[in-house]
């Protein structure tokens, strides 16, 4: 029941026992934003201590994001949507992804899921939405 998509580097689709990983290639910024808005979980591993934007972008759009810590860099402090694995073995990644997918029905999506951030209405409209949500909590 999940669609599994890979963005970026090209490779052939990978068949799984009851699904497949589908290659979508490189996307325009607009299509990338639409993909982030319509996705629930993602994996983006870091290979250097330099800034790694995909996990930050994914989490900011409300995605539950698996990444890895790297030396002194641990992105899980940035957002509760980021899960940083100290030892990102295939087994550990698979276990965490399974847990995230099992939480799907109970996880509250982040505020940016409405699409205001990328729809062109600007940061002002998003701030109004955040304010509105905060008032509901009070």
């Amino acid at each position: 029941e999940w669609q599994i998509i890979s963005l970026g580097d090209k490779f052939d689709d990978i068949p799984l026992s009851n699904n497949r990983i589908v290659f979508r290639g490189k996307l325009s910024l607009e299509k990338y934003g639409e993909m982030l808005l319509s996705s629930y979980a993602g994996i983006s591993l870091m290979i250097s201590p330099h800034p790694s934007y995909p996990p930050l972008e994914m989490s900011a759009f409300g995605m539950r994001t698996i990444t890895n810590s790297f030396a002194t860099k641990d992105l899980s402090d940035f957002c509760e949507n980021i899960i940083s694995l100290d030892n990102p073995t295939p087994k550990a990644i698979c276990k965490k992804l399974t847990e995230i997918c099992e939480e799907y029905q109970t996880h509250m999506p982040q505020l940016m899921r409405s699409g205001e951030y990328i729809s062109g209405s600007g940061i002002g409209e998003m701030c109004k939405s955040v304010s509105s949500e905060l008032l509901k909590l009070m």
Side-chain angles (χ1 to χ4, degrees):
E1 59 191 81
W2 292 92
Q3 184 178 24
I4 306 168
I5 298 169
S6 177
L7 302 178
D9 291 337
K10 183 171 178 52
F11 59 84
D12 293 331
D13 292 354
I14 300 172
L16 304 171
S17 61
N18 61 354
N19 206 327
R20 65 187 309 116
I21 300 173
V22 178
F23 166 73
R24 289 280 172 88
K26 295 183 180 182
L27 303 177
S28 67
L29 285 177
E30 181 179 328
K31 293 288 184 192
Y32 179 59
E34 290 171 5
M35 178 67 65
L36 295 180
L37 280 172
S38 64
S39 299
Y40 175 71
I43 302 168
S44 181
L45 302 178
M46 299 181 288
I47 60 170
S48 76
H50 300 290
S52 188
Y53 296 111
L56 297 172
E57 293 165 343
M58 291 161 64
S59 68
F61 277 80
M63 291 176 63
R64 303 281 288 150
T65 306
I66 298 170
T67 190
N68 58 297
S69 56
F70 192 95
T72 60
K73 186 166 81 171
D74 183 349
L75 296 179
S76 63
D77 292 336
F78 172 74
C79 177
E80 67 181 22
N81 283 335
I82 296 179
I83 297 97
S84 190
L85 302 175
D86 290 330
N87 188 15
T89 63
K91 187 174 184 174
I93 294 168
C94 183
K95 181 177 186 266
K96 186 50 72 176
L97 182 60
T98 300
E99 290 170 11
I100 289 170
C101 291
E102 288 173 352
E103 295 170 354
Y104 176 73
Q105 295 299 327
T106 59
H107 180 253
M108 179 180 285
Q110 296 297 308
L111 298 174
M112 278 192 216
R113 298 297 268 189
S114 65
E116 293 166 347
Y117 186 67
I118 64 166
S119 69
S121 58
I123 194 79
E125 289 302 313
M126 188 190 68
C127 289
K128 288 178 188 174
S129 292
V130 170
S131 297
S132 175
E133 292 297 321
L134 287 172
L135 288 174
K136 290 177 189 177
L137 295 173
M138 296 178 160

